[in-house]
Coordinates of all heavy atoms in Angstrom, one line a residue:
M1 N 0.9 -1.2 0.0 CA 0.0 -0.1 0.0 C 0.9 1.2 0.0 O 2.0 1.3 0.5 CB -0.9 0.1 1.3 CG -2.0 -0.7 1.2 SD -3.2 -0.3 2.3 CE -3.7 -1.9 3.0
I2 N 0.4 2.3 -0.7 CA 1.1 3.6 -0.7 C 0.2 4.5 0.0 O -1.0 4.7 -0.3 CB 1.2 3.9 -2.2 CG1 2.2 3.0 -2.9 CG2 1.8 5.4 -2.3 CD1 2.3 3.1 -4.4
T3 N 0.8 5.3 0.9 CA -0.1 6.3 1.7 C 0.1 7.7 0.8 O 1.3 8.1 0.5 CB 0.5 6.5 3.1 OG1 0.4 5.2 3.7 CG2 -0.2 7.5 3.8
V4 N -1.1 8.4 0.7 CA -1.1 9.6 0.0 C -1.6 10.6 1.1 O -2.7 10.5 1.7 CB -1.9 9.7 -1.2 CG1 -1.9 10.9 -2.0 CG2 -1.4 8.5 -2.2
K5 N -0.9 11.8 1.2 CA -1.4 12.8 2.0 C -1.6 14.0 1.2 O -1.0 14.3 0.2 CB -0.3 13.2 3.0 CG -0.1 12.1 4.0 CD 0.9 12.4 5.1 CE 1.1 11.2 6.1 NZ 1.9 11.7 7.2
Y6 N -2.7 14.8 1.6 CA -3.1 15.9 0.9 C -2.9 17.3 1.8 O -3.3 17.1 3.0 CB -4.6 15.9 0.5 CG -4.9 14.7 -0.3 CD1 -5.3 13.4 0.3 CD2 -4.7 14.8 -1.8 CE1 -5.5 12.3 -0.6 CE2 -5.0 13.6 -2.4 CZ -5.4 12.5 -1.9 OH -5.6 11.3 -2.6
F7 N -2.5 18.2 1.3 CA -2.3 19.5 2.0 C -3.0 20.7 1.3 O -3.4 20.6 0.2 CB -0.9 19.9 2.1 CG -0.2 18.9 2.9 CD1 0.6 17.7 2.3 CD2 -0.1 18.9 4.4 CE1 1.3 16.9 3.0 CE2 0.5 18.0 5.2 CZ 1.3 16.9 4.5
A8 N -3.5 21.7 2.1 CA -4.0 23.0 1.8 C -5.3 22.7 1.0 O -6.2 21.9 1.3 CB -3.0 23.7 1.1
R9 N -5.3 23.4 -0.1 CA -6.6 23.3 -0.9 C -6.9 21.8 -1.5 O -8.0 21.4 -1.8 CB -6.6 24.3 -2.2 CG -5.9 23.9 -3.3 CD -6.2 24.7 -4.6 NE -5.5 24.1 -5.7 CZ -6.1 23.1 -6.4 NH1 -7.2 22.5 -6.1 NH2 -5.5 22.5 -7.4
L10 N -5.8 21.1 -1.6 CA -6.0 19.7 -2.2 C -6.6 18.9 -1.2 O -7.2 17.9 -1.7 CB -4.4 19.1 -2.5 CG -3.7 19.9 -3.6 CD1 -2.3 19.4 -3.7 CD2 -4.5 20.1 -4.9
R11 N -6.5 19.1 0.1 CA -7.4 18.5 1.1 C -8.8 18.7 0.9 O -9.6 17.8 1.0 CB -6.9 18.9 2.4 CG -7.7 18.3 3.5 CD -7.3 18.8 4.9 NE -5.8 18.9 5.1 CZ -5.3 18.3 6.3 NH1 -6.0 17.9 7.2 NH2 -3.9 18.4 6.3
D12 N -9.1 20.0 0.5 CA -10.6 20.2 0.2 C -11.0 19.5 -1.0 O -12.2 19.1 -1.0 CB -10.7 21.7 0.1 CG -10.4 22.5 1.4 OD1 -10.6 21.9 2.5 OD2 -10.1 23.7 1.2
V13 N -10.2 19.5 -2.0 CA -10.6 18.9 -3.4 C -10.8 17.3 -3.1 O -11.8 16.9 -3.6 CB -9.5 19.2 -4.4 CG1 -9.9 18.3 -5.7 CG2 -9.4 20.6 -4.8
A14 N -9.9 16.7 -2.3 CA -10.0 15.3 -2.1 C -11.0 15.0 -1.0 O -11.6 13.9 -0.9 CB -8.6 14.8 -1.7
G15 N -11.3 15.9 -0.1 CA -12.4 15.7 0.9 C -11.8 14.8 2.0 O -12.6 14.2 2.8
K16 N -10.5 14.8 2.1 CA -9.7 14.0 3.2 C -8.3 14.4 3.2 O -7.8 15.0 2.2 CB -9.9 12.6 2.8 CG -9.2 12.1 1.4 CD -9.4 10.6 1.1 CE -10.7 10.6 0.3 NZ -11.0 9.4 -0.3
G17 N -7.7 14.1 4.3 CA -6.3 14.5 4.5 C -5.3 13.5 4.1 O -4.1 13.7 3.8
E18 N -5.8 12.2 4.0 CA -4.9 11.0 3.7 C -5.7 9.8 3.3 O -6.9 9.7 3.7 CB -4.1 10.8 4.9 CG -3.4 9.7 5.0 CD -2.4 9.3 6.3 OE1 -2.0 10.3 6.9 OE2 -2.3 8.2 6.7
E19 N -5.1 9.1 2.5 CA -5.6 7.9 2.1 C -4.6 6.9 1.6 O -3.4 7.2 1.4 CB -6.7 8.0 1.1 CG -6.2 8.4 -0.4 CD -7.3 8.6 -1.4 OE1 -8.2 7.6 -1.5 OE2 -7.4 9.6 -2.0
T20 N -4.9 5.6 1.4 CA -3.9 4.7 1.0 C -4.4 4.1 -0.2 O -5.6 4.0 -0.5 CB -3.8 3.4 2.1 OG1 -5.0 2.8 2.3 CG2 -3.2 4.0 3.4
L21 N -3.4 3.7 -1.2 CA -3.8 3.2 -2.5 C -3.2 1.8 -2.4 O -2.1 1.5 -2.0 CB -3.0 3.9 -3.6 CG -3.3 5.4 -3.7 CD1 -2.6 6.0 -4.8 CD2 -4.9 5.5 -3.9
D22 N -4.0 0.7 -2.8 CA -3.5 -0.6 -2.8 C -2.8 -0.9 -4.1 O -3.4 -1.6 -5.1 CB -4.9 -1.5 -2.8 CG -4.5 -2.9 -2.6 OD1 -3.3 -3.2 -2.1 OD2 -5.4 -3.8 -2.8
R23 N -1.6 -0.4 -4.1 CA -0.8 -0.6 -5.4 C 0.7 -1.0 -4.8 O 1.2 -0.6 -3.8 CB -0.5 0.8 -6.2 CG -1.7 1.4 -6.5 CD -2.1 0.8 -8.0 NE -3.4 1.5 -8.5 CZ -3.4 2.5 -9.4 NH1 -2.1 3.0 -9.8 NH2 -4.3 3.0 -9.9
E24 N 1.4 -1.9 -5.7 CA 2.7 -2.1 -5.2 C 3.7 -1.2 -5.8 O 4.8 -1.0 -5.3 CB 3.1 -3.6 -5.9 CG 2.3 -4.8 -5.2 CD 2.7 -4.8 -3.9 OE1 3.9 -4.8 -3.4 OE2 1.7 -5.0 -2.9
E25 N 3.4 -0.6 -6.9 CA 4.4 0.3 -7.6 C 3.7 1.2 -8.7 O 2.8 0.6 -9.3 CB 5.5 -0.6 -8.2 CG 6.6 0.3 -8.9 CD 7.6 -0.7 -9.5 OE1 8.3 -1.3 -8.6 OE2 7.8 -0.7 -10.7
L26 N 4.1 2.5 -8.8 CA 3.5 3.2 -9.8 C 4.6 4.5 -10.0 O 5.4 4.8 -9.0 CB 2.2 3.8 -9.8 CG 1.8 4.9 -8.7 CD1 0.3 5.3 -9.0 CD2 1.7 4.2 -7.2
T27 N 4.6 5.2 -11.0 CA 5.4 6.4 -11.1 C 4.7 7.7 -10.5 O 3.4 7.6 -10.4 CB 5.9 6.8 -12.6 OG1 4.6 7.1 -13.3 CG2 6.6 5.5 -13.3
V28 N 5.4 8.6 -10.2 CA 4.9 9.9 -9.7 C 3.8 10.5 -10.8 O 2.8 10.9 -10.5 CB 6.0 10.9 -9.4 CG1 5.4 12.4 -9.2 CG2 6.9 10.5 -8.2
S29 N 4.2 10.3 -12.1 CA 3.3 10.8 -13.2 C 2.0 9.9 -13.1 O 0.9 10.5 -13.4 CB 4.1 10.5 -14.5 OG 3.2 11.0 -15.6
E30 N 2.1 8.8 -13.0 CA 0.9 7.8 -12.8 C 0.0 8.2 -11.6 O -1.1 8.2 -11.7 CB 1.2 6.4 -12.8 CG 1.8 5.8 -14.1 CD 2.4 4.4 -14.0 OE1 2.9 4.1 -12.9 OE2 2.4 3.8 -15.1
L31 N 0.8 8.6 -10.5 CA 0.0 9.0 -9.3 C -0.8 10.4 -9.6 O -1.9 10.4 -9.1 CB 0.9 9.2 -8.1 CG 0.3 9.6 -6.8 CD1 -0.7 8.6 -6.3 CD2 1.3 10.0 -5.8
L32 N -0.2 11.3 -10.3 CA -0.7 12.5 -10.6 C -1.9 12.3 -11.6 O -3.0 12.9 -11.4 CB 0.2 13.5 -11.2 CG 1.3 14.1 -10.2 CD1 2.4 14.6 -11.0 CD2 0.6 15.1 -9.3
D33 N -1.7 11.4 -12.5 CA -2.9 11.1 -13.5 C -4.0 10.5 -12.6 O -5.2 10.9 -12.9 CB -2.3 10.2 -14.4 CG -1.4 10.9 -15.4 OD1 -1.4 12.1 -15.6 OD2 -0.8 10.0 -16.3
W34 N -3.8 9.6 -11.7 CA -4.8 8.9 -10.9 C -5.4 10.2 -10.0 O -6.7 10.1 -10.0 CB -4.2 8.0 -9.9 CG -5.1 7.6 -8.9 CD1 -6.0 6.5 -9.0 CD2 -5.4 8.1 -7.6 NE1 -6.8 6.4 -7.9 CE2 -6.3 7.2 -7.1 CE3 -4.6 9.1 -6.9 CZ2 -6.7 7.6 -5.8 CZ3 -5.1 9.3 -5.6 CH2 -6.2 8.6 -5.0
A35 N -4.7 11.0 -9.5 CA -5.3 12.1 -8.7 C -6.3 12.9 -9.5 O -7.3 13.3 -9.1 CB -4.3 12.8 -7.9
E36 N -5.9 13.2 -10.7 CA -6.6 14.2 -11.5 C -7.9 13.6 -12.0 O -8.9 14.0 -12.0 CB -5.8 14.6 -12.7 CG -6.5 15.6 -13.6 CD -6.6 17.0 -12.9 OE1 -5.7 17.3 -12.3 OE2 -7.7 17.5 -13.0
S37 N -7.9 12.2 -12.3 CA -9.2 11.5 -12.7 C -9.9 11.1 -11.6 O -11.2 11.0 -11.7 CB -8.8 10.2 -13.5 OG -8.0 9.3 -12.7
T38 N -9.4 10.9 -10.3 CA -10.3 10.7 -9.3 C -10.9 11.8 -8.7 O -12.0 11.8 -8.2 CB -9.4 9.9 -8.1 OG1 -8.8 8.7 -8.7 CG2 -10.1 9.5 -6.9
Y39 N -10.1 13.1 -8.6 CA -10.6 14.2 -8.0 C -10.6 15.3 -9.2 O -9.6 16.1 -9.2 CB -9.7 14.7 -6.9 CG -9.7 13.6 -5.8 CD1 -8.5 12.8 -5.6 CD2 -10.7 13.2 -5.1 CE1 -8.5 11.9 -4.7 CE2 -10.8 12.2 -4.0 CZ -9.6 11.5 -3.9 OH -9.6 10.5 -3.0
P40 N -11.6 15.5 -10.0 CA -11.6 16.5 -11.0 C -11.3 17.9 -10.4 O -11.8 18.2 -9.4 CB -12.9 16.4 -11.6 CG -13.4 15.0 -11.3 CD -12.8 14.7 -9.9
G41 N -10.5 18.6 -11.1 CA -10.0 19.9 -10.7 C -8.8 19.8 -9.8 O -8.5 20.8 -9.0
F42 N -8.3 18.8 -9.6 CA -7.2 18.6 -8.5 C -5.9 19.6 -9.1 O -5.2 20.0 -8.1 CB -6.6 17.1 -8.7 CG -5.7 16.8 -7.6 CD1 -6.1 16.5 -6.3 CD2 -4.3 16.7 -7.9 CE1 -5.3 16.3 -5.3 CE2 -3.6 16.3 -6.8 CZ -3.9 16.0 -5.7
G43 N -5.8 19.8 -10.4 CA -4.7 20.5 -10.8 C -3.3 19.9 -10.8 O -2.3 20.6 -10.4
A44 N -3.3 18.6 -11.2 CA -2.1 17.9 -11.1 C -0.9 18.7 -11.7 O 0.2 18.4 -11.4 CB -2.3 16.6 -11.7
D45 N -1.1 19.4 -12.9 CA 0.0 20.0 -13.6 C 0.7 21.0 -12.7 O 2.0 21.3 -13.0 CB -0.5 20.9 -14.8 CG -1.0 19.9 -15.9 OD1 -0.7 18.7 -15.8 OD2 -1.8 20.4 -16.7
N46 N 0.2 21.5 -11.7 CA 0.8 22.4 -10.8 C 1.2 21.9 -9.4 O 1.4 22.7 -8.5 CB -0.1 23.8 -10.6 CG -0.4 24.3 -12.0 OD1 0.7 24.6 -12.8 ND2 -1.5 24.8 -12.2
V47 N 1.0 20.7 -9.3 CA 1.2 20.1 -7.8 C 2.7 19.3 -7.8 O 3.0 18.8 -8.7 CB 0.2 19.0 -7.6 CG1 0.3 18.2 -6.3 CG2 -1.2 19.7 -7.5
Q48 N 3.3 19.7 -6.7 CA 4.5 19.0 -6.4 C 4.2 17.7 -5.7 O 3.3 17.6 -4.9 CB 5.5 19.9 -5.7 CG 6.0 20.9 -6.4 CD 7.1 20.7 -7.2 OE1 7.9 19.9 -7.1 NE2 7.0 21.5 -8.4
V49 N 5.2 16.7 -5.9 CA 4.9 15.4 -5.1 C 6.1 15.2 -4.3 O 7.3 15.3 -4.9 CB 4.5 14.3 -6.1 CG1 4.5 13.0 -5.3 CG2 3.4 14.6 -6.8
A50 N 6.1 15.0 -3.0 CA 7.2 14.5 -2.2 C 6.9 12.9 -1.9 O 5.9 12.5 -1.5 CB 7.2 15.3 -0.9
V51 N 8.0 12.3 -2.0 CA 7.9 10.8 -1.7 C 8.9 10.6 -0.4 O 10.1 10.9 -0.4 CB 8.4 9.9 -2.7 CG1 8.4 8.5 -2.4 CG2 7.4 10.1 -4.1
N52 N 8.4 10.0 0.7 CA 9.2 9.8 1.7 C 9.9 11.2 2.3 O 11.2 11.2 2.6 CB 10.2 8.7 1.7 CG 9.3 7.4 1.5 OD1 8.3 7.2 2.0 ND2 9.9 6.5 0.6
E53 N 9.2 12.4 2.2 CA 9.7 13.7 2.6 C 10.7 14.3 1.7 O 11.5 15.3 2.0 CB 10.0 13.6 4.0 CG 8.9 13.4 5.0 CD 9.3 13.4 6.4 OE1 10.4 13.8 6.8 OE2 8.5 12.9 7.2
E54 N 10.9 13.8 0.5 CA 11.9 14.5 -0.5 C 11.0 14.6 -1.8 O 10.3 13.8 -2.3 CB 12.9 13.5 -0.8 CG 13.9 13.4 0.5 CD 15.2 12.6 0.0 OE1 15.6 12.6 -1.0 OE2 15.7 12.1 1.0
Y55 N 11.3 15.9 -2.4 CA 10.6 16.1 -3.6 C 11.0 15.0 -4.7 O 12.1 14.7 -4.8 CB 11.0 17.6 -4.2 CG 10.2 18.7 -3.5 CD1 10.8 19.4 -2.6 CD2 9.0 18.7 -3.6 CE1 10.2 20.4 -1.8 CE2 8.2 19.9 -3.0 CZ 8.9 20.6 -2.0 OH 8.2 21.6 -1.4
A56 N 10.0 14.7 -5.5 CA 10.1 13.7 -6.5 C 9.9 14.3 -7.8 O 9.3 15.1 -8.0 CB 9.2 12.4 -6.2
L57 N 10.6 13.6 -8.8 CA 10.4 13.8 -10.2 C 9.2 12.9 -10.9 O 9.0 11.9 -10.3 CB 11.6 13.6 -11.0 CG 12.9 14.4 -10.5 CD1 14.2 14.0 -11.4 CD2 12.7 15.9 -10.8
K58 N 8.7 13.4 -12.0 CA 7.4 12.6 -12.5 C 7.9 11.2 -13.0 O 7.1 10.3 -12.9 CB 7.1 13.4 -13.6 CG 6.2 14.7 -13.3 CD 5.5 15.3 -14.3 CE 4.6 16.5 -13.8 NZ 3.8 17.1 -14.8
E59 N 9.1 11.0 -13.3 CA 9.5 9.6 -13.6 C 10.0 8.8 -12.5 O 10.3 7.6 -12.6 CB 10.6 9.7 -14.8 CG 11.9 10.3 -14.2 CD 11.9 12.0 -14.5 OE1 10.9 12.5 -14.7 OE2 13.0 12.5 -14.4
D60 N 10.1 9.3 -11.2 CA 10.4 8.6 -10.1 C 9.4 7.5 -9.8 O 8.2 7.6 -10.0 CB 10.6 9.5 -8.8 CG 11.8 10.2 -9.0 OD1 12.7 10.1 -9.8 OD2 12.0 11.1 -8.1
T61 N 9.8 6.3 -9.3 CA 9.0 5.2 -8.9 C 8.6 5.3 -7.5 O 9.4 5.5 -6.6 CB 9.7 3.9 -9.3 OG1 10.0 3.8 -10.7 CG2 8.8 2.7 -8.8
I62 N 7.4 5.1 -7.2 CA 6.7 5.0 -5.8 C 6.4 3.5 -5.6 O 5.9 2.8 -6.5 CB 5.5 5.8 -5.8 CG1 5.7 7.3 -6.2 CG2 5.0 5.9 -4.4 CD1 4.5 8.0 -6.4
R63 N 6.8 3.0 -4.4 CA 6.7 1.6 -4.1 C 5.9 1.5 -2.9 O 5.7 2.3 -2.0 CB 8.1 1.0 -3.9 CG 8.9 0.9 -5.2 CD 10.1 0.2 -5.0 NE 10.8 0.0 -6.4 CZ 11.4 0.9 -7.0 NH1 11.6 2.1 -6.3 NH2 11.9 0.7 -8.1
S64 N 5.3 0.3 -2.7 CA 4.4 0.0 -1.5 C 5.3 0.2 -0.3 O 6.5 -0.1 -0.1 CB 4.0 -1.5 -1.6 OG 3.3 -1.8 -0.5
G65 N 4.6 0.9 0.7 CA 5.2 1.3 2.0 C 5.6 2.8 1.8 O 5.9 3.4 2.9
D66 N 5.8 3.4 0.7 CA 6.1 4.8 0.7 C 5.1 5.7 1.0 O 3.9 5.4 0.9 CB 6.6 5.2 -0.9 CG 7.9 4.6 -1.3 OD1 8.7 4.2 -0.4 OD2 8.2 4.5 -2.4
V67 N 5.5 6.8 1.5 CA 4.4 7.9 1.9 C 4.6 9.0 0.9 O 5.7 9.7 0.8 CB 4.6 8.4 3.3 CG1 3.7 9.6 3.7 CG2 4.5 7.3 4.4
C68 N 3.6 9.5 0.2 CA 3.5 10.5 -0.8 C 2.8 11.7 -0.2 O 1.7 11.5 0.5 CB 3.0 10.1 -2.0 SG 3.9 8.6 -2.7
A69 N 3.2 13.0 -0.6 CA 2.4 14.0 -0.2 C 2.3 14.9 -1.5 O 3.3 15.2 -2.2 CB 3.2 14.9 0.9
F70 N 1.0 15.3 -1.7 CA 0.7 16.3 -2.6 C 0.9 17.7 -2.1 O 0.2 17.9 -1.1 CB -0.7 16.1 -3.2 CG -0.9 14.9 -4.1 CD1 -1.8 14.0 -3.6 CD2 -0.2 14.7 -5.2 CE1 -1.9 12.8 -4.4 CE2 -0.3 13.5 -5.9 CZ -1.3 12.6 -5.6
I71 N 1.7 18.5 -2.8 CA 2.0 19.9 -2.3 C 1.6 20.9 -3.3 O 2.1 20.9 -4.3 CB 3.5 20.0 -1.8 CG1 3.8 19.0 -0.9 CG2 3.8 21.5 -1.4 CD1 5.4 18.8 -0.7
P72 N 0.6 21.7 -2.9 CA 0.1 22.7 -4.0 C 1.1 23.9 -4.0 O 1.8 24.1 -3.1 CB -1.2 23.1 -3.4 CG -1.1 23.0 -1.9 CD -0.3 21.8 -1.7
P73 N 0.9 24.6 -5.1 CA 1.9 25.9 -5.2 C 1.4 26.7 -4.1 O 0.3 26.9 -3.6 CB 1.5 26.4 -6.6 CG 0.3 25.7 -7.0 CD 0.1 24.5 -6.3
V74 N 2.6 27.5 -3.6 CA 2.4 28.5 -2.4 C 2.7 29.8 -3.1 O 3.5 30.1 -3.8 CB 3.3 28.1 -1.4 CG1 3.3 29.1 -0.3 CG2 3.1 26.8 -0.9
S75 N 1.7 30.7 -2.7 CA 1.9 32.1 -3.2 C 2.3 32.9 -1.9 O 1.8 32.8 -0.9 CB 0.6 32.6 -3.9 OG -0.4 32.8 -3.0
G76 N 3.2 33.9 -2.2 CA 3.6 34.7 -1.1 C 3.0 36.1 -1.2 O 2.3 36.5 -2.2
G77 N 3.2 36.8 -0.2 CA 2.6 38.2 -0.3 C 3.1 39.1 0.9 O 3.9 38.7 1.7

């Protein structure tokens, strides 16, 4: 299982702060595609993904037991 955490507005879009996916392996790109199709309006093109507390690239592989976090863009002011 892969744990996925949602922060800020993404928590509102998903309607939860965390969930688990019953997958053994997938890429960050596949995870973003899954999020966009599962939660329309997710905005996957502008979301960063951290895997085990390190920023990940779209081609990186996520494995069972990993913890992923979706991090929305932050604006300053």
Side-chain angles (χ1 to χ4, degrees):
M1 280 199 226
I2 296 169
T3 301
V4 181
K5 296 184 176 187
Y6 303 92
F7 294 97
R9 80 163 191 84
L10 300 176
R11 180 186 307 230
D12 296 335
V13 173
K16 59 189 94 175
E18 180 178 317
E19 69 181 308
T20 56
L21 303 179
D22 190 17
R23 302 275 183 97
E24 288 298 316
E25 183 177 294
L26 74 166
T27 66
V28 169
S29 182
E30 290 170 332
L31 179 65
L32 287 166
D33 289 345
W34 170 85
E36 189 65 47
S37 65
T38 304
Y39 305 111
F42 193 77
D45 291 340
N46 298 317
V47 172
Q48 293 284 321
V49 177
V51 178
N52 299 327
E53 299 184 10
E54 292 191 23
Y55 283 107
L57 301 174
K58 289 188 175 185
E59 62 270 17
D60 287 348
T61 300
I62 304 163
R63 293 183 172 77
S64 182
D66 287 345
V67 177
C68 302
F70 287 119
I71 304 167
V74 177
S75 61

